[in-house]
Amino acid sequence: MSRNLPSYTLLALILMGVSLVLGFAKADVQCSDVILKIIPCQNFLMSGELYPSVACCSGAQALDKEAAASQPDRQAICGCLKSAAQAFPINVDKAAQLPTLCKLTTKIPINPTVDCSKI
């Protein structure tokens, strides 16, 4: 079996490469990166903090810059944020305040019902 290990490793690498190429065909956004940038906002979005932290706004502003690159990037970021809003108890009213409080320009909503195709 150890003889087949390199071929399985090669197959796994090829499959990962193909999925990366297909995944990046329209947008250069990974949901894991989106979540890592927005995770500092969890205390504001999910609990009692009245204002987003500096780290939250920094992450949101980094996403804002990515979103400005292209419509496919905005839609991909929107889809990631929509999935997060569906999976976690996000306060949608507070999420709607985030673009103003963090001075964002693209204003991608963090909402479980948003239609990301219209972003």
Side-chain angles (χ1 to χ4, degrees):
M1 250 192 219
S2 62
R3 282 185 183 175
N4 291 334
L5 185 57
S7 64
Y8 287 123
T9 303
L10 181 59
L11 179 61
L13 289 173
I14 291 170
L15 289 174
M16 283 180 13
V18 168
S19 67
L20 285 174
V21 169
L22 293 175
F24 287 117
K26 291 187 177 178
D28 289 332
V29 176
Q30 294 287 322
C31 277
S32 59
D33 293 336
V34 171
I35 299 305
L36 285 174
K37 288 178 181 148
I38 204 74
I39 202 98
C41 298
Q42 70 181 359
N43 289 335
F44 173 70
L45 296 173
M46 295 172 40
S47 67
E49 282 190 8
L50 297 177
Y51 300 99
S53 66
V54 172
C56 168
C57 285
S58 293
Q61 289 166 353
L63 282 177
D64 194 46
K65 286 180 185 175
E66 285 182 45
S70 70
Q71 184 177 21
D73 287 346
R74 282 190 296 282
Q75 290 174 340
I77 291 168
C78 177
C80 296
L81 295 174
K82 178 179 181 174
S83 293
Q86 290 171 337
F88 298 99
I90 302 285
N91 181 323
V92 178
D93 293 331
K94 289 177 96 175
Q97 297 172 15
L98 199 61
T100 301
L101 294 173
C102 291
K103 298 175 177 59
L104 307 179
T105 58
T106 56
K107 297 178 177 36
I108 296 172
I110 303 173
N111 189 311
T113 62
V114 66
D115 181 355
C116 292
S117 70
K118 295 181 179 179
I119 299 296

